[in-house]
Amino acid sequence: MKALQLKPWHIVQSEADFENNRVYESIMSLGNCHMGVRGNFEESFSGDGLKGTYLAGVYYPDSTKVGWWKNGYPEYYARIINSPDFIGIDLNADGIDIDMNIQAPLSFERTLDMREGSLERNVVLEYKSGKRLQIRTFRFLSMHEKECGCVVCEATPLDDDAVITASPFLSSNVHNEDSNWGDSFWKDISCHTGMSDGYICSMTRKSGFGNCVAMACSAYLAGEEIRPCDFSSLSQEQDPGKVSIPVSGLCPKGSTLRVVKFFCSLTNRDHSFETLESSALDKVHALRARGFESIYGIHRDAWASLWERCDIEIKGDEKLQSAARYCIFNMLQTYTGHDSRLNIGPKGFTGEKYGGGTYWDTEAFCFPFYLMSFGRASKALLKYRHKQLDKARGNARKLGLGGALYPMVTIDGDECHNEWEITFEEIHRNAAMAHAIYLYEKHTGDFEYIEKYGIDVLVETARFWASRASWSSFRSKYVILGVTGPNEYENNVNNNWYTNYMACWNMEYAAATLAIMKKRDTHRYDLALARLGMENGEVQTWLKICSEMYFPFWQEQGVFEQQDGYRDKVLEDASAIPKGELPISRSWSWDRILRSCFIKQADVLQAFYMMPENFSQETIKRNFEFYEPKTVHESSLSALVHSIVASRVCDFKKALSLFEHSVTLDLENRNADTADGLHITSMSGAYLCICLGFAGIRFENGNLSMNPTVPQGWDGYSFNMMFNESPMNISVSKDSVVINWDSYDTVSIGIFESVHEILPGENVIHLNTLQAV
Amino acid sequence: MKALQLKPWHIVQSEADFENNRVYESIMSLGNCHMGVRGNFEESFSGDGLKGTYLAGVYYPDSTKVGWWKNGYPEYYARIINSPDFIGIDLNADGIDIDMNIQAPLSFERTLDMREGSLERNVVLEYKSGKRLQIRTFRFLSMHEKECGCVVCEATPLDDDAVITASPFLSSNVHNEDSNWGDSFWKDISCHTGMSDGYICSMTRKSGFGNCVAMACSAYLAGEEIRPCDFSSLSQEQDPGKVSIPVSGLCPKGSTLRVVKFFCSLTNRDHSFETLESSALDKVHALRARGFESIYGIHRDAWASLWERCDIEIKGDEKLQSAARYCIFNMLQTYTGHDSRLNIGPKGFTGEKYGGGTYWDTEAFCFPFYLMSFGRASKALLKYRHKQLDKARGNARKLGLGGALYPMVTIDGDECHNEWEITFEEIHRNAAMAHAIYLYEKHTGDFEYIEKYGIDVLVETARFWASRASWSSFRSKYVILGVTGPNEYENNVNNNWYTNYMACWNMEYAAATLAIMKKRDTHRYDLALARLGMENGEVQTWLKICSEMYFPFWQEQGVFEQQDGYRDKVLEDASAIPKGELPISRSWSWDRILRSCFIKQADVLQAFYMMPENFSQETIKRNFEFYEPKTVHESSLSALVHSIVASRVCDFKKALSLFEHSVTLDLENRNADTADGLHITSMSGAYLCICLGFAGIRFENGNLSMNPTVPQGWDGYSFNMMFNESPMNISVSKDSVVINWDSYDTVSIGIFESVHEILPGENVIHLNTLQAV
């Protein structure tokens, strides 16, 4: 976006651009894993925008909307809802309401501080001829006290004395733009306005979630604190669903009215419904008593410790440094594994789209980042799915199948998606559940988790595949008919190679894991067999299906065929599509997209990202060179996979350009949809493209290796990862790899052809120049 | 339905069955091609039911409803709407409102008279302890004066004198149950209540249709006419949108209060908006002045003349005689070609489902019936599509394709359907447009229509196919990717054999027709080329595509393969599906249906119905024996095609059972959806299965032939058809064919191996016994 400056630790918006207000609102979102808020202005704004305040796990079972009902569609669509607003502070100067859409700013600067997790805005506007007002707002959502946050608002008349009124408010008068039927989701239970404090307690109409949002404010006029009793309190005439505590004062020219609004948003997910109001009020009083510096300091420390664990450095390219940090920043704002009831919505806390539900994005794209950054703590994500296993079993039953089918999108385990070609057919997602367990085990060695919990998911997903594959007498092979692969620009195809491959991988991995369990601990093995009602010959059936599975292969091209019939298409490179027709999702009718050869996101190539150890460099290269040029990357999840695979086949130029595509997707609004919210689940690419891609990190058979390169134009990069439960910082430059190993152990690492012994502390390994070709 | 008795000319409901009220309402529908009404009771009924009054061509652009928007979806869904109600007459006895849901009938009989097009109901109920009321209602919609109709209501207290009030009313307070967003479609413009007359004039909120529904009543108490001024008139307290003119009297025991309500429903499709009210009022006054007998007599005559043209007789099977007539009756109630702005909705005037739009059903299933019954008059149906050619061109453009693509469903030419797999992909419909022209030309010889109009449709549909086929380098063949064939239990398949076949047939027929035009009339040919902007080589391109088209063929089975990949399915007969799981559309999830081998309706076999002359008996037989057992007939359009094809391959037992399935579909509520309305467009099967099936009528190269058989259990049958613009009645019995040829010409007809000369008048041809095997 042209108004943005990307600095190493800051995203700076240097001018107002209200035409693209929604895009900037998305970009300037704040979150703390418990709640989040879009970059809406504190004061009223009559221009276009999407108000958004979201509470993790607070959803609404919106009635399903379909054009034509298909048997099996879910009755409801769970969506994370726009929740009562806590950031609002209205401003008025000399009786004039401040609204930047009316009083266009003379200057405007907004800074997202990624290091500290705060958002600051500095504006000067002329609210009346010759009378300028300077406004500064500053806010954060505490990364430590996750129900809490603070907004500071300062207003300074620059040209004359002025009566300034600041009205901190709470509002439950919020709605979702994308609700299916325009229903209102919240109803108010109670509200309170006291001396400089207030709350609104509301409840969702159907799902029974309770929320209490509360505030307590301090105010200062020219440095002098204003007494609480000098705040006005709510009159009955005010808007329903709004609690407001205006504070006014005659502000001498050049001096400031400062309001500090401490707020919290509590839900009955963490508190009993009965104590919501009192807890919330106690909490904001305590916050105010402790004061801004204390609250902010603890918040800042929490961010510092996250960055210590998760920062990536890119040396020599400030823009990509900024963009990559921005991605990590948003991953951390969205989820850090503190609550296994939660998961990662595609938009995090930055928008309504996709309803905030959980997709395979989590396991396939986010999980590796959390696993490598947080180690065993990533288990929370596995537990989330394990808890939903019973509903996944029911889901498979509904389709007439065995085992368990995890939903395409869910919040509490129920399938919520309603497009038949996705809901019922994009079943490769099931293998991603098993794959996350596989990665977890490989990286942490925590086999106990597998024995107690993971094996249930492995067996039930394997069973699903065994029932879903069918025997083709014609081919004398097992086939998997009627699926949609990761490339959603193909629907209802037969023998999607990726799906068939991952199905077999899943069954084989489940079988192998059972075999290990049997050897390791007969008791736990027997418990599992009993728990799962395993029958004689079941595993043999899986293995038979795997050994007789049909995998489409295109002999002439020497590549895996994306699905049956792909070879019948007119084959063209995506570069042949006229620029004006991109993205094709917006200019081509759906049938045209489907019968074209163009690929939305990695499909065959996805397997090389998921299971690189199973394919030769040559195989990967051949398929990459065939499929990559046909890929339009119209899913945010595409570029990162392609970048990693490009690195694997040493096409570093392409890897870099795809990395750039991936990390700047939202900052440059590449898919023209950042207005809807950020593409959170693809932001792990910032980490994965570096770690798995440029650094070429691999774990195979318990061995760590790397094949590092430094992309053209970079001086180097560094990142952290957990290895053997200890943090390791790896810093790659053009002629060395420096590994800081915070452990008591030593470890071997293969770098290119040689194996190096890594000791605790700093290890410097000099290498030949690594400049990417 | 168990309460029904099927008599040769009557459908009699012999008991009340309010649990299935909607089903009986559908079955007892009346229509006269201009308007129609479901079998709703005249008086208020608090039980379940679907009120329905429909006006041909009066639609509403309902906002599209989808779950997930796909590029190319239409903005609106045109639906024929529930229109102001004209049949209502409320009843009250001694202050008690009559409602059969409250006062359960002691006796109930309802008779649909198919010969005369009327509906009569006789009920006795106890409205108060020991006080019985006998009610008789009788109604018809004039088949001659299409805007008009009449309801008679008679109430007779059986046990005591009673004060009876009959309240004829009109109501615009109607809605569509299946409206996408619950919008109300009508708003009232004016209403009037006079001395025993009244009207309501309303307008649709968006599409600007105006309607005036009016009534004028006569009433008689114990045979004495009640003066108009003794009717009450509307008070302001009445329901909005309701005009009611109650008439009361003390009715001595055993004597009758009789109300005759003459009504009309006029629209601005046929009148100027300004004169609607006065025309309607004039019309009902004139009706009343002429009196019941006169109006009814003309109506009855109109039906008699329709039956003379269209009746089919089945001798020796009263039930099938009745059911077959019922089908023809409903075809004639829906459409007789009097207005080329109209077409045939899947439910006719009997329900809301499918929005009353035009589907390929018209061309593929209804057109042959109208063509053979009405000859050149069937041209109205061709003109309907010709008028919409420009919109069909726009529709193709929207999909990035050439030529014209007729919409899947439409009222005024705009595509209204919104399921991508149907809207964009069920493109075989385009060939049905060409096929209707082909049949028309073949049967009527009216080549002038082709030269002036038909050729445009042929060329544009051919162009569509040429642009839609793509070259497969892999196969060195043209392919048609991403389609849905007639069997909608497969979606987005490649190379649906039927589609590929009909695409080529369409292109070849267009090419051949151009060649004939060139020879016949150079001037008209040149005009057409200019009008269509034909380019050099265009026809050659079509023919090249046809000659290099890929047709999936399953060598081992010796059958056309329904589509690529069908052979990979698990092949089972439909008889293997547990009875409790039928219809699978209601018990299986969509993906399961899609990957099964089960066929919703004729797909490969459809080609043998469309173009029987192009396939050998042996080919048809092999494919029939393969595909028929896999067909679940869950489309109403399935059984008739299968019956005709079964006759062709001499499987008369199956042909008869499928004929029975087809003609009793609604009377026996076989698909459990008759409540939604009748399956009008499949009712032509009653005629086609006999004419094309059992009688084996064929036209080939201008020659008429037949291969008649008499199904087991029948004594014979007869039907009419137009041949060389003259009506021919063909009567088949076990040992003779009797042909009545109402013409000045003679004609040859091949019967089995021999050719017979048919003279004007009656021709009796004795044959060997024809009993079906």
Side-chain angles (χ1 to χ4, degrees), chain A residues 65-72 77 180-181 354 359 398-401 416-422 424-425 467-468 470-475 479 481-482 490-495 550 554 556 564-570 584-595, chain B residues 65-72 77 180-181 354 359 398-401 416-422 424-425 467-468 470-475 479 481-482 490-495 550 554 556 564-570 584-595:
Chain A
K65 184 177 69 167
V66 299
W68 301 88
W69 190 265
K70 304 277 193 195
N71 210 30
Y77 183 81
N180 281 345
W181 301 93
Y354 303 120
Y359 288 70
K398 199 167 159 185
L399 307 195
L401 296 164
C416 288
H417 199 278
N418 57 326
E419 275 179 305
W420 64 267
E421 64 274 18
I422 306 290
F424 304 142
E425 298 206 340
S467 76
R468 186 59 166 73
S470 59
W471 179 252
S472 164
S473 308
F474 172 74
R475 291 189 199 270
V479 292
L481 305 180
E490 303 280 352
N491 289 160
N492 191 41
V493 301
N494 293 338
N495 295 309
Y550 168 68
W554 191 346
E556 294 76 2
D564 285 355
Y566 187 83
R567 62 185 75 183
D568 267 336
K569 289 173 185 279
V570 175
I584 56 174
S585 65
R586 300 206 172 193
S587 65
W588 289 12
S589 71
W590 189 245
D591 60 313
R592 185 175 176 191
I593 291 173
L594 289 180
R595 64 179 180 274
Chain B
K65 185 177 70 170
V66 300
W68 302 88
W69 190 264
K70 304 277 192 195
N71 211 30
Y77 183 81
N180 281 344
W181 302 94
Y354 304 120
Y359 288 70
K398 199 167 162 187
L399 307 194
L401 295 165
C416 289
H417 199 276
N418 57 326
E419 275 179 306
W420 64 266
E421 65 274 19
I422 306 290
F424 304 143
E425 298 206 340
S467 75
R468 186 60 166 72
S470 59
W471 179 252
S472 165
S473 308
F474 172 73
R475 291 190 199 272
V479 291
L481 304 180
E490 303 279 353
N491 289 160
N492 190 41
V493 302
N494 293 338
N495 295 309
Y550 169 69
W554 191 347
E556 293 76 2
D564 285 356
Y566 188 83
R567 62 186 76 184
D568 267 336
K569 291 174 184 279
V570 174
I584 57 173
S585 66
R586 300 206 171 192
S587 64
W588 289 11
S589 71
W590 189 243
D591 60 313
R592 185 174 177 192
I593 290 173
L594 288 180
R595 65 180 180 273

Side-chain angles (χ1 to χ4, degrees), chain A residues 324-526:
Chain A
R325 276 215 181 99
Y326 182 72
C327 291
I328 303 299
F329 175 67
N330 276 296
M331 296 294 291
L332 298 176
Q333 289 203 113
T334 307
Y335 187 85
T336 51
H338 72 292
D339 184 344
S340 72
R341 296 171 302 174
L342 301 180
N343 209 288
I344 305 157
K347 302 275 162 213
F349 299 107
T350 72
E352 301 176 0
K353 209 174 164 187
Y354 303 120
T358 303
Y359 288 70
W360 77 301
D361 298 32
T362 294
E363 283 72 19
F365 303 97
C366 302
F367 184 77
F369 163 74
Y370 288 107
L371 174 64
M372 295 176 84
S373 298
F374 292 85
R376 286 198 184 205
S378 62
K379 187 159 65 178
L381 288 171
L382 302 185
K383 281 186 176 165
Y384 176 92
R385 296 291 192 178
H386 178 265
K387 276 191 287 197
Q388 298 183 350
L389 181 58
D390 260 348
K391 288 197 173 177
R393 286 181 175 117
N395 199 30
R397 229 52 12 99
K398 199 167 159 185
L399 307 195
L401 296 164
L405 173 63
Y406 278 94
M408 190 64 207
V409 54
T410 190
I411 288 182
D412 69 350
D414 288 330
E415 175 64 87
C416 288
H417 199 278
N418 57 326
E419 275 179 305
W420 64 267
E421 64 274 18
I422 306 290
T423 311
F424 304 142
E425 298 206 340
E426 201 174 331
I427 53 175
H428 67 79
R429 61 186 185 252
N430 233 24
M433 309 301 139
H435 186 260
I437 296 168
Y438 164 79
L439 285 186
Y440 176 79
E441 182 214 335
K442 195 166 78 153
H443 282 247
T444 66
D446 178 9
F447 203 82
E448 193 179 329
Y449 177 78
I450 309 287
E451 290 171 315
K452 287 188 174 166
Y453 306 103
I455 190 64
D456 295 28
V457 173
L458 298 182
V459 165
E460 293 291 20
T461 49
R463 282 170 164 168
F464 171 81
W465 291 118
S467 76
R468 186 59 166 73
S470 59
W471 179 252
S472 164
S473 308
F474 172 74
R475 291 189 199 270
S476 290
K477 286 277 185 189
Y478 282 96
V479 292
I480 302 183
L481 305 180
V483 305
T484 293
N487 167 20
E488 292 170 339
Y489 285 177
E490 303 280 352
N491 289 160
N492 191 41
V493 301
N494 293 338
N495 295 309
N496 169 259
W497 179 83
Y498 173 80
T499 303
N500 288 18
Y501 182 82
M502 292 302 291
C504 290
W505 171 83
N506 191 342
M507 288 187 275
E508 283 167 351
Y509 176 56
T513 305
L514 283 170
I516 296 170
M517 278 178 64
K518 189 173 181 180
K519 278 196 198 146
R520 240 181 79 109
D521 187 328
T522 325
H523 177 62
R524 282 190 185 154
Y525 174 73
D526 290 340

